[in-house]
Amino acid sequence: MEMLLCQWQKNNPRIIAMDGDTKNSTFSGKLNDYDSERYIECFIAEQNMVGVAVGCATRDRMVVFASTFAAFFSRAYDQIRMAAISMTNANFVGTHCGVSIGEDGPSQMALEDLAMFRAIPTCTVFYPSDPVSCERAIELAANTKGMTFSRVGRPTNAVIYANDEVFEVGKAKVIKKSDKDVVTLIGAGVTIHECLVAHEALKDSGIMTRVIDPFTIKPIDQETILAAARATGGRIITVEDHYPEGGLGEAVMSAVSEERDIIVRKLAVPRVPRSGKAAELLDLYGINAKHIAQAVKQILKK
């Protein structure tokens, strides 16, 4: 994200960035190094940072990106809610989401952020899964009317998409597909990579799955999800590095709620987590490839 904004700043003086004293972790400091006149350090005052972002974005004077750990936006939810009433175009970027941040521990793990921002009526919620989709999400956020939130993980994920892949708001990507698919797997961020590992393991045992990356959680791609559900016997498994309430799983359930004969199994972080290595925590809380494969076999028995 930071390198992309630096490139944009060369050609567009309206682009500015700000951070809540996490620039060494979010790497927003690169923007400060490039042009300190268009970077605002808001320190550990997230409520103030949101207010500054909204003020700078007023009347489309600036294209604003405010970043911090996604968990810390909870401190500023009153300001975020009021910003929606003001019809702001500010863009918020939350990093270090979920148990996959590992050793930093539960105080730093954003596990409620999707629920928070999905509840804001003017907010578009991006959840990219690799570097290419992250860059496209930031591009789209800059050109999307209303507030945006981009959920960016900490782990270094493998590249899924080609550099010229086209992304759209509200359009999912079907990464794996065949005529023999019996279950649809939907993940985002770190969990889409776990879905892909599970897909290969299940394929080796003769079980075919369809894998979908939603890209935006709000709006969710209802058309693609329903088509996949119908093609896979009405079986969907969602996997998210987030609490069960208000996240990817419930967005998918909302999308299929008026359709007959569809069952959605949610895999999510079921309780307040502990600190540990990322891979260990994904396993402990049931959202890694092993648990996805088990869930597929279980849902096929129903």
Side-chain angles (χ1 to χ4, degrees):
M1 179 193 80
E2 297 76 18
M3 298 308 297
L4 179 63
L5 292 182
C6 286
Q7 294 171 15
W8 287 353
Q9 283 184 335
K10 295 178 182 178
N11 301 311
N12 190 339
R14 294 173 55 236
I15 294 174
I16 65 170
M18 56 194 69
D19 197 279
D21 204 24
T22 58
K23 61 181 179 292
N24 290 335
S25 298
T26 64
F27 298 102
S28 63
K30 293 180 182 293
L31 297 161
N32 185 44
D33 296 338
Y34 176 73
D35 187 349
S36 60
E37 293 296 314
R38 286 187 280 166
Y39 176 84
I40 303 172
E41 177 55 75
C42 295
F43 300 102
I44 306 175
E46 291 81 8
Q47 293 170 322
N48 182 62
M49 181 178 72
V50 170
V52 173
V54 172
C56 290
T58 299
R59 297 181 183 273
D60 294 331
R61 289 179 296 187
M62 298 289 180
V63 179
V64 182
F65 284 88
S67 60
T68 188
F69 287 13
F72 299 161
F73 279 117
S74 62
R75 299 172 180 168
Y77 198 58
D78 181 25
Q79 283 72 22
I80 292 168
R81 174 181 173 274
M82 295 304 294
I85 295 171
S86 300
M87 304 302 289
T88 186
N89 289 321
N91 303 294
F92 302 110
V93 181
T95 68
H96 291 66
C97 52
V99 299
S100 56
I101 71 170
E103 293 85 352
D104 284 1
S107 66
Q108 317 291 300
M109 295 171 176
L111 291 159
E112 320 84 357
D113 53 313
L114 289 176
M116 284 172 44
F117 282 96
R118 279 187 65 226
I120 299 296
T122 64
C123 188
T124 299
V125 179
F126 295 92
Y127 196 173
S129 296
D130 81 337
V132 175
S133 59
C134 184
E135 187 168 299
R136 297 293 93 77
I138 298 304
E139 288 178 353
L140 287 166
N143 292 282
T144 296
K145 187 71 174 176
M147 184 191 305
T148 74
F149 173 65
S150 298
R151 190 181 208 234
V152 183
R154 183 185 188 185
T156 301
N157 292 322
V159 176
I160 299 173
Y161 302 106
N163 286 332
D164 59 354
E165 185 76 26
V166 176
F167 289 83
E168 299 177 58
V169 172
K171 295 294 183 181
K173 294 292 182 182
V174 181
I175 303 176
K176 297 290 185 179
K177 178 181 178 181
S178 79
D179 294 335
K180 298 180 181 180
D181 296 338
V182 292
V183 179
T184 295
L185 303 178
I186 304 177
V190 67
T191 62
I192 195 68
H193 297 270
E194 296 296 325
C195 286
L196 290 170
V197 173
H199 168 87
E200 294 300 327
L202 290 163
K203 181 179 178 181
D204 290 341
S205 62
I207 300 173
M208 301 302 295
T209 56
R210 189 160 302 191
V211 181
I212 294 178
D213 174 6
F215 183 60
T216 54
I217 309 302
K218 180 185 176 185
I220 196 86
D221 188 350
Q222 182 182 39
E223 181 179 355
T224 296
I225 292 170
L226 284 174
R230 293 178 187 128
T232 57
R235 306 178 193 94
I236 298 175
I237 295 174
T238 63
V239 195
E240 58 190 311
D241 196 358
H242 189 276
Y243 286 139
E245 296 80 16
L248 170 62
E250 294 200 347
V252 171
M253 292 178 75
S254 177
V256 303
S257 62
E258 297 184 14
E259 190 78 6
R260 293 179 182 272
D261 302 321
I262 293 178
I263 183 171
V264 179
R265 170 81 184 276
K266 291 193 300 180
L267 300 184
V269 180
R271 58 190 180 274
V272 175
R274 54 185 279 185
S275 178
K277 295 181 179 179
E280 295 173 345
L281 296 179
L282 291 174
D283 183 26
L284 180 62
Y285 297 110
I287 56 173
N288 69 351
K290 179 185 76 176
H291 290 278
I292 297 168
Q294 290 173 354
V296 168
K297 293 175 182 178
Q298 290 168 359
I299 202 171
L300 287 172
K301 294 177 181 179
K302 292 185 179 295

